[in-house]
Structure formats: structure tokens, C-alpha cells
Amino acid sequence: MAKNDWGTSTYPIVPGHEIVGIVTEVGSKVEKLKVGDRVGVGCMVGACHSCDSCDNDLENYCPKMILTYGAPYYDGTTTYGGYSDVMVAEERYVVRIPDNLPLDAGAPLLCAGITVYSPLQHFGLTKPGMHVGVVGLGGLGHVAVKFAKGFGVKVTVISTSPSKKKEAIEHLGADYFLVSRDPDQMQAAMGTMDGIIDTVSAVHPLVPLIGLLKSQGKLVMVGAPNRPLELPVFPLIMGRKVVAGSCIGGMKETQEMIDFAGKHNITADVEVIPVDYVNTAMERLEKADVRYRFVIDIGNTLKSA
């Protein structure tokens, strides 16, 4: 969004979502939150509240969804996210953070967490004993491993980097590790997975991943490459396989996700930085030099102009 890679950005833009903090003030009609509560705001701050998606707690698929930053708000002003000392949000779009979740390591779950939790739930990939693959071990992928393990499924991390095997298995708790560039390893794993969560945002081949699925398996795309991917139909037809997409989740499900994270002690692996480090952090992010999410400590490092 900062560099307009998706062609949807309008400037000036302040790209800050996945925001957490403490409630300091509430309006007269607020019912579920009070001053002092630990709360967060994710990727959206508004929607139409009258379409089928909104009626079914899927505000994230509302055609009029309002993003937390870089979008026109109800009153015509532009949303500027949470890189500030205070933020005002409609109660519907604020989630309560469980007391046992640290705010810094819990913050990325408001986007990365719900992005992987929702497809695991929706596509029925949460039954203990199932086998789920996770493609890519970055900001989304490392959280996907943790949530999948929280549901009790077997997890295989699928990566181009053999060097990530120790991290995946010993630190994140994956059961298996597959190097996608190793034909022998890929061949041995053919037809073994009930579903795959693909978090990779670069252009990459899908056919080898489809081959890993059992018949009626599901490959769910949550990464967003900026160029089209090639998708031959024949491998889908021959196993009644599904390639699908998923985008964050509604507010009801986002609260369920953060409560689940609290119950299972699921957090993101983060590096906390001061606000004046943000440009360096962006440069490091482009080189994938972070394990696995930068979190800006606004409260202690933002100085008034």
C-alpha cells in the first residue's frame, strides 16, 4: 500500500492497521466497552451494515467496507489508521484483547491472525488429525502454523528455503517441513493434505501445491501477488479440488479469533521498534529481514510536533 504495488493507493497515505491500546473515552451509546479496557482495531473501521454480508457478520466482504487507512470514511474524510497517539473508532470495529495476551505480540493477530484463522474455520480445516500445509513462513505463515496447531491438526510448512526447517519445527511447532524446490520431497508428499493455506505474495507455481492435496482438498490463497498466477483446470477436475481465496474476517469472527489466541497463548513473533525507526523497518521489510512482524511502540516514542 505504501508503494502502491496493488495499484489501489491514494496519497497521502499513513499505512497503520493492527492497532492496540487502552480505552480512554467512550461515547454515550457505547455498550460493550469501558474506559481502561484493552482493545484493538484491525483492517476495517466501517461498512454499510445493510447488505447480506453485513447481516451475516461478514463486514469484510461488504462492497462498502471502509479500510482503517487510505479509504474515504462516512463523512468524506480519509482514514489515516493508528500511527498516532489517539484513535477514534466505532464500537462495532473494536475488539477486546484478552488480559493474558501481551499487546505488542497480540496486535498483528488483528490482521495476520484473522487472515489465517478465518479460512481454517470456513473450509473445515480444524478437525484434529487433519493434515494442513502452510506455504511461506513469514508474517502470515508463522501465525498460520500456530493457529493450525492450536486446532490440533498436523502441520507441514512448505517453503523454498531449507534453512527455515529448524525454525518451523523446533520454534513454531510444525510437524513436517517440505522444500518446495525438491522434487523428491514434493513427490513423496503428493495427495497427503486436506488443505493448504498459501501465504505467499510473490508469483509462484500452483500446480505442485494442488498435487499435494488429497481428492476434494482445498488450496486457499491469502497472499496477494500483484500479477496473475497460472491455474490449469485439469488438476482440479481430476480430484474435485478447490482453489479459493479468503480476506481477513468479520468482526464477530475476529473477536472469536483473539479469544482463541488468548486461550491457547498464540501470539505473533515481533520486533518492537520506536516510531523514528519506521523508514529503516520498511527497508528491512522489503528484504524480508524481520522475524516476523515489526510493531511500532507509538505510546512511548511518538513525540508531539
Side-chain angles (χ1 to χ4, degrees):
M1 289 292 281
K3 298 199 169 187
N4 200 23
D5 286 338
W6 287 328
T8 59
S9 304
T10 52
Y11 297 104
I13 193 167
V14 185
H17 66 206
E18 303 179 326
I19 308 138
V20 293
I22 309 296
V23 177
T24 55
E25 195 175 340
V26 295
S28 60
K29 295 179 181 175
V30 169
E31 295 176 350
K32 69 176 185 177
L33 298 169
K34 63 184 185 304
V35 172
D37 284 353
R38 309 164 85 244
V39 295
V41 175
C43 300
M44 57 184 167
V45 291
C48 80
H49 306 156
S50 60
C51 67
D52 284 349
S53 291
C54 287
D55 287 345
N56 287 291
D57 297 310
L58 293 168
E59 302 94 339
N60 51 312
Y61 297 123
C62 171
K64 296 180 179 176
M65 176 187 67
I66 301 170
L67 293 171
T68 303
Y69 67 85
Y73 199 58
Y74 301 117
D75 60 3
T77 59
T78 298
T79 57
Y80 284 114
Y83 291 173
S84 60
D85 56 351
V86 66
M87 180 180 184
V88 181
E90 189 179 343
E91 181 180 31
R92 179 170 178 157
Y93 296 93
V94 180
V95 298
R96 292 179 309 282
I97 308 290
D99 289 339
N100 66 311
L101 272 190
L103 289 179
D104 54 2
L109 301 182
L110 296 171
C111 177
I114 188 61
T115 294
V116 298
Y117 177 93
S118 185
L120 287 169
Q121 286 279 26
H122 178 78
F123 292 99
L125 300 174
T126 60
K127 299 180 185 70
M130 278 187 156
H131 185 190
V132 173
V134 174
V135 188
L137 199 60
L140 289 176
H142 90 286
V143 174
V145 173
K146 294 184 182 188
F147 274 105
K149 290 304 295 180
F151 285 120
V153 305
K154 287 190 299 184
V155 178
T156 294
V157 170
I158 304 159
S159 174
T160 57
S161 310
S163 59
K164 291 186 176 178
K165 180 175 182 177
K166 184 176 180 184
E167 171 84 0
I169 291 175
E170 294 183 15
H171 176 61
L172 297 173
D175 299 282
Y176 312 105
F177 186 87
L178 201 52
V179 179
S180 55
R181 289 181 173 147
D182 185 324
D184 294 336
Q185 285 189 28
M186 294 293 283
Q187 183 64 37
M190 291 270 282
T192 62
M193 298 180 192
D194 298 283
I196 296 173
I197 306 293
D198 187 342
T199 72
V200 174
S201 288
V203 173
H204 59 289
L206 297 184
V207 172
L209 301 176
I210 294 167
L212 297 174
L213 294 170
K214 298 176 182 176
S215 60
Q216 304 188 84
K218 297 140 188 164
L219 170 61
V220 188
M221 315 298 295
V222 296
N226 59 3
R227 298 201 314 278
L229 304 182
E230 192 173 309
L231 181 62
V233 173
F234 204 66
L236 302 180
I237 294 172
M238 295 312 292
R240 196 157 67 177
K241 297 177 183 181
V242 174
V243 176
S246 184
C247 177
I248 57 171
M251 293 315 303
K252 181 182 177 189
E253 190 175 42
T254 302
Q255 186 67 63
E256 289 170 5
M257 175 278 303
I258 208 82
D259 291 341
F260 182 91
K263 184 178 176 185
H264 294 271
N265 291 309
I266 295 170
T267 55
D269 291 11
V270 301
E271 180 179 334
V272 179
I273 61 168
V275 71
D276 59 8
Y277 187 78
V278 71
N279 287 334
T280 306
M282 291 295 281
E283 290 168 12
R284 286 180 54 194
L285 198 58
E286 278 202 90
K287 302 174 194 159
D289 177 24
V290 57
R291 292 265 176 102
Y292 284 94
R293 274 282 203 259
F294 286 118
V295 174
I296 306 172
D297 183 355
I298 296 285
N300 289 315
T301 66
L302 182 67
K303 298 174 179 64
S304 55

